[in-house]
Amino acid sequence: MRSLPKNLATFCLCAFALNPLFSQEREDRTLLPWDQMRSIINEASGERAMHHVLELVPYPRVRPLSEYAGNFRETEVMMKFAREYGFSNVGIESFPTQQRLWQPTQGELWMVEPEARKLYDIYDVAISLAGNSPTGETTAEVVDVGAGARAEDYANKSVDGKIVLGSANPNTLQRLAVFERGAAGVVSYNSLRYDDYPDQILSAGISANPPEGKKPGFGWAVSPRVAREISAMLAAGKKVVLKSIIKSETFPGELEVVHATIPGDGTTDQLVGVSAHLYEGYIKQGANDDNSGCAMTLEMGRAYIRLINEGKLPKPKRTIHFLWVPEISGTNAWLNAHKDVEQKMIADLNFDMEGLKLSASRSYWMLHRTPDTFPSFLNDVCQSVLEFVANTNYERIRYRGNGYKYTLPVTSPNGSMDPFTISVEKHYGSSDHVTYMQHGIPAVIFVTWPDMWYHSSHDTPDKLDPTQFKRAAVVGIGAMSLLASAGDEMATAIAGESIARGSERMGDSERKGLGYISDASDPAGLSQAYKEARNTVRHQAEVEKAVVRSSNVLFNNPSEGLKKLAAFEKLVDDRASSLQNEVTAYYRLRAEQKKAPVARLELTAGEKEASRMVAERVVRQGAGPGGGGGGFGGQAAALANLSDQERVSLRKVPQHMTAELNILLGQKKSVLEIRDFLSGEFEPLPLEDLLENLRVQEKMGNVKLSTR
């Protein structure tokens, strides 16, 4: 790197000497003032959060049966700390469920031939026994079926009365090997990262409800290393015999929820939620997923209460509800039982997998925004605080005159000194934030990904980092304080944040659209790209108008706040019109280069037909409102009846769009409106692909198509 010219270097040194932090404080701004952020940083403790985890899940353990007669260990830990830290209304609520709870007291898997060796014991690796495996003792020969996920994997192989070894998950192996072919049990070596972690075992289960006349068999989950050893023995012509010993019991189903509050000042009946799942079933006990989220939100509450009492943060106007729950099902049950809370809650912050040492897992700490079907100011509140902490916690060369350091370090005494790697992403489902949105409450999720030890035997406290806990807590406290305390002044600031960030997002949508036009290689493709580009800008403008409107709930008088914000809708339209003019000018330039005629934007015959066709979701008895991962869980029979071509058609809507598609199907939109929405939010989706998907879903009973 070259040195600066002497006169420029002198000027820079003088500028730094005059006010070394002024420029940084002007650049690194967030919705909270620096003194409040410093107070939060000084108080939040990554070590305390780590200590909570060690109390909750010091190691993956076999849960004693006594816990099923009283409260679970994690519940008691959360209640103890919440009361100690000064939370209010700390209590437990239990909701019955139809699904019985399963708990083993003995589980051993032995190799009998060609040598005598214990392979697994649940007191060594608690999740090695697949959930719902019944009591029994079985000794049988092993048959290797490769993946074991397709009928052809079993061709010319007799598995009746034998133990099947396969890489598919235990539930799939159970269906194909036990239910359909009479196997005694299954041994799965399903893995997310076979090569990186050959000794890792995934948490898994089998069905406790076999088809009539069938036995459930049993299931074991083993590591890829052990499976390869067994497979190599079989390939060498050796006979392998395993012995499975299981003792287990079942108990009445229940969802145990821990709830606490930090009271507001009584000036509003609005509420704020903070959530994390304490249980993901009662067998799996992940340190990161999600005891870390529960441990960290405890610390958020502790630090916040102290900062309020010391006058370093404003007192909350809105009561904050903390919920530590069985994932999704517990949240749904609690909100259904507390409609008063559901109706008054204006936002939820959901924390799922918060404590990993980011560099060790090659991870980012991610904020997943609400989907475009649920536009909200909440995204911008969270992004503002998140980016502030991230930007002040990596070394920036242009500020090296202040020393080789972070601007405002957020680190723990026993934690790492890693930079804070973050990412702000589109919506992703499959956690409690989705359930809040299904109940009409805007919600975001903070999550670490990738997690190299996700849902596995390696999800243990040694993977966690107090520094990451501290940073997550700082971001969480900052966002929580903004939501809980906002009145007219802060509501206006938050609306301004959304207006400005909305301009950026609209610019991003234009850039995406111009990219479509730039990539087009022929006149027909160019015309379609132009249509897609205009749709992308139009879609984002509608989202941004809704985002600005959503911040009205933070004003002292929300209806008056809505009136004050109304003027910005026309300004967003004006901005969109200007961007559309640029899109058109760029299209004309590309048409001239390609010597293509300038096309008029008209609906095709197929688009006209799709504009008259309405797609509605059919809610089956017992099904929820949807909007989670967007898959077809629980529809095994319907899926089994599809042809290969129909399965292909079902996948023509990409997986990352299916959650939004599921929500849109509940809004009685036309097929064309759905296509345009998905294409605007993500990338162009061919209308024919959407129609193929919807027709297959109609056959499955998920969707009703009609003409208006």
Side-chain angles (χ1 to χ4, degrees):
M1 181 182 295
R2 294 183 178 180
S3 300
L4 294 171
K6 184 175 181 181
N7 57 344
L8 182 57
T10 301
F11 172 80
C12 291
L13 287 172
C14 290
F16 282 134
L18 289 171
N19 197 341
L21 291 178
F22 177 76
S23 60
Q24 289 164 277
E25 292 202 14
R26 291 299 298 265
E27 176 173 336
D28 296 316
R29 63 167 300 281
T30 187
L31 288 161
L32 287 172
W34 269 62
D35 64 328
Q36 291 186 18
M37 288 303 302
R38 285 192 176 95
S39 294
I40 293 171
I41 291 167
N42 286 331
E43 182 57 36
S45 168
E47 272 73 17
R48 284 182 186 254
M50 189 73 185
H51 298 161
H52 298 156
V53 171
L54 294 173
E55 293 281 351
L56 288 162
V57 56
Y59 57 90
R61 64 196 175 89
V62 177
R63 195 179 294 278
L65 300 183
S66 59
E67 292 190 22
Y68 291 89
N71 296 325
F72 297 112
R73 174 194 176 105
E74 296 92 328
T75 295
E76 295 287 356
V77 170
M78 296 299 290
M79 289 181 58
K80 169 183 173 293
F81 280 118
R83 287 170 175 160
E84 178 183 327
Y85 294 156
F87 286 76
S88 300
N89 304 311
V90 180
I92 307 169
E93 293 181 59
S94 184
F95 302 92
T97 66
Q98 293 182 346
Q99 185 174 356
R100 291 184 67 83
L101 304 177
W102 171 89
Q103 179 64 53
T105 55
Q106 182 181 10
E108 298 175 17
L109 182 64
W110 288 79
M111 180 182 289
V112 178
E113 295 184 39
E115 60 182 272
R117 177 170 29 127
K118 183 191 280 189
L119 299 177
Y120 286 98
D121 189 310
I122 59 172
Y123 289 90
D124 298 332
V125 183
I127 62 172
S128 56
L129 179 60
N132 296 319
S133 293
T135 294
E137 185 172 319
T138 302
T139 302
E141 187 177 345
V142 177
V143 177
D144 187 348
V145 295
R150 307 170 303 163
E152 47 264 45
D153 294 336
Y154 298 84
N156 303 317
K157 295 178 180 178
S158 174
V159 301
D160 186 25
K162 298 177 181 178
I163 297 173
V164 163
L165 174 70
S167 64
N169 66 66
N171 199 279
T172 299
L173 292 175
Q174 179 195 35
R175 176 171 57 86
L176 291 168
V178 179
F179 296 163
E180 297 182 10
R181 293 170 175 80
V186 300
V187 173
S188 166
Y189 57 102
N190 189 32
S191 175
L192 298 177
R193 307 181 192 277
Y194 290 92
D195 296 322
D196 287 343
Y197 299 99
D199 297 309
Q200 190 177 94
I201 294 174
L202 289 187
S203 175
I206 59 174
S207 173
N209 302 302
E212 187 175 354
K214 303 288 185 180
K215 294 181 179 180
F218 58 85
W220 284 88
V222 304
S223 72
R225 189 190 303 277
V226 168
R228 287 166 181 163
E229 181 183 5
I230 295 172
S231 183
M233 290 177 178
L234 293 169
K238 297 179 181 179
K239 180 180 179 181
V240 178
V241 176
L242 299 182
K243 181 177 183 179
S244 169
I245 306 171
I246 301 168
K247 289 183 181 179
S248 62
E249 296 186 38
T250 64
F251 301 86
E254 71 164 325
L255 301 170
E256 195 166 273
V257 174
V258 185
H259 171 249
T261 65
I262 297 176
D265 64 8
T267 59
T268 176
D269 63 356
Q270 291 179 340
L271 309 171
V272 172
V274 174
S275 60
H277 67 269
L278 192 56
Y279 304 106
E280 197 166 339
Y282 297 115
I283 302 301
K284 173 188 167 297
Q285 302 157 35
N288 190 47
D289 185 14
D290 181 36
N291 279 272
S292 70
C294 298
M296 194 274 292
T297 51
L298 260 178
E299 174 55 16
M300 282 172 54
R302 182 205 66 81
Y304 182 63
I305 290 169
R306 178 169 180 179
L307 290 168
I308 291 168
N309 291 339
E310 293 178 349
K312 295 177 180 177
L313 286 180
K315 292 182 178 180
K317 293 166 61 69
R318 301 168 181 88
T319 293
I320 306 170
H321 286 258
F322 288 77
L323 277 170
W324 299 296
V325 299
E327 188 178 20
I328 298 176
S329 56
T331 297
N332 194 51
W334 196 89
L335 289 173
N336 283 337
H338 296 274
K339 290 296 184 182
D340 56 328
V341 173
E342 174 190 284
Q343 294 163 5
K344 297 173 183 176
M345 190 171 286
I346 64 165
D348 175 72
L349 303 172
N350 185 47
F351 296 90
D352 189 343
M353 303 160 53
E354 311 307 332
L356 280 186
K357 187 174 189 296
L358 299 182
S359 61
S361 192
R362 306 194 290 271
S363 304
Y364 289 83
W365 198 52
M366 295 181 174
L367 164 65
H368 283 273
R369 300 168 51 84
T370 63
D372 283 1
T373 51
F374 206 137
S376 176
F377 69 91
L378 178 61
N379 301 307
D380 299 318
V381 169
C382 295
Q383 187 170 348
S384 171
V385 184
L386 174 64
E387 290 181 342
F388 174 87
V389 178
N391 288 338
T392 55
N393 279 269
Y394 75 93
E395 192 174 299
R396 293 173 289 182
I397 191 169
R398 67 184 186 277
Y399 290 137
R400 64 177 180 163
N402 294 340
Y404 295 88
K405 61 183 181 181
Y406 299 157
T407 306
L408 191 60
V410 183
T411 57
S412 288
N414 297 305
S416 75
M417 292 296 293
D418 292 344
F420 192 22
T421 53
I422 66 158
S423 181
V424 179
E425 301 281 343
K426 288 182 179 290
H427 168 71
Y428 179 73
S430 299
S431 190
D432 294 281
H433 63 301
V434 176
T435 310
Y436 282 92
M437 285 188 281
Q438 290 171 347
H439 286 260
I441 302 164
V444 295
I445 180 176
F446 290 94
V447 63
T448 306
W449 198 260
D451 177 350
M452 296 297 167
W453 307 285
Y454 174 73
H455 279 204
S456 81
S457 56
H458 289 177
D459 186 359
T460 48
D462 56 294
K463 312 301 190 307
L464 306 180
D465 175 18
T467 288
Q468 170 57 22
F469 270 129
K470 183 179 177 76
R471 290 168 174 172
V474 168
V475 173
I477 295 166
M480 182 174 68
S481 179
L482 287 164
L483 295 171
S485 303
D488 284 350
E489 288 287 330
M490 184 53 70
T492 303
I494 289 171
E497 187 81 11
S498 289
I499 291 164
R501 289 184 180 273
S503 296
E504 296 175 5
R505 289 188 289 267
M506 289 180 68
D508 288 341
S509 72
E510 181 195 24
R511 179 168 54 86
K512 184 167 67 170
L514 295 185
Y516 300 153
I517 296 171
S518 180
D519 292 343
S521 58
D522 57 68
L526 184 60
S527 176
Q528 182 61 30
Y530 176 44
K531 184 181 288 188
E532 297 289 0
R534 291 189 65 87
N535 175 63
T536 298
V537 173
R538 182 174 61 250
H539 169 87
Q540 196 63 45
E542 293 303 312
V543 170
E544 297 310 329
K545 287 190 288 186
V547 169
V548 175
R549 285 196 300 270
S550 73
S551 61
N552 78 298
V553 299
L554 298 173
F555 285 82
N556 295 334
N557 185 326
S559 59
E560 287 299 315
L562 191 60
K563 293 177 184 178
K564 294 173 182 178
L565 296 170
F568 291 98
E569 291 202 31
K570 183 181 183 304
L571 297 176
V572 173
D573 284 332
D574 291 345
R575 186 183 305 130
S577 178
S578 177
L579 294 176
Q580 296 287 29
N581 289 338
E582 292 177 9
V583 168
T584 298
Y586 188 72
Y587 163 66
R588 290 178 178 277
L589 173 62
R590 289 289 289 144
E592 180 183 341
Q593 289 177 331
K594 291 291 184 182
K595 296 181 171 51
V598 175
R600 294 179 59 187
L601 288 180
E602 296 178 332
L603 294 181
T604 65
E607 289 170 337
K608 289 178 181 178
E609 182 181 357
S611 71
R612 297 188 294 269
M613 184 184 300
V614 177
E616 298 179 65
R617 183 177 61 241
V618 176
V619 179
R620 299 180 307 281
Q621 187 173 3
F632 302 100
Q635 290 191 269
L639 287 167
N641 291 329
L642 298 181
S643 67
D644 290 342
Q645 181 55 51
E646 286 170 332
R647 291 172 185 270
V648 171
S649 297
L650 202 59
R651 292 193 295 269
K652 287 198 171 179
V653 174
Q655 186 270 339
H656 63 276
M657 296 185 186
T658 54
E660 283 288 71
L661 172 59
N662 199 25
I663 294 171
L664 293 167
L665 289 172
Q667 298 179 355
K668 296 186 178 181
K669 292 182 178 291
S670 74
V671 172
L672 183 61
E673 288 172 325
I674 292 172
R675 190 226 76 97
D676 286 350
F677 193 104
L678 294 174
S679 297
E681 183 173 0
F682 300 104
E683 68 276 354
L685 174 66
L687 178 60
E688 298 77 11
D689 289 356
L690 175 60
L691 281 167
E692 282 192 41
N693 173 284
L694 293 175
R695 288 185 177 119
V696 174
Q697 288 210 58
E698 185 177 38
K699 177 180 176 179
M700 296 173 66
N702 297 332
V703 169
K704 175 185 175 184
L705 296 174
S706 59
T707 301
R708 63 185 177 190

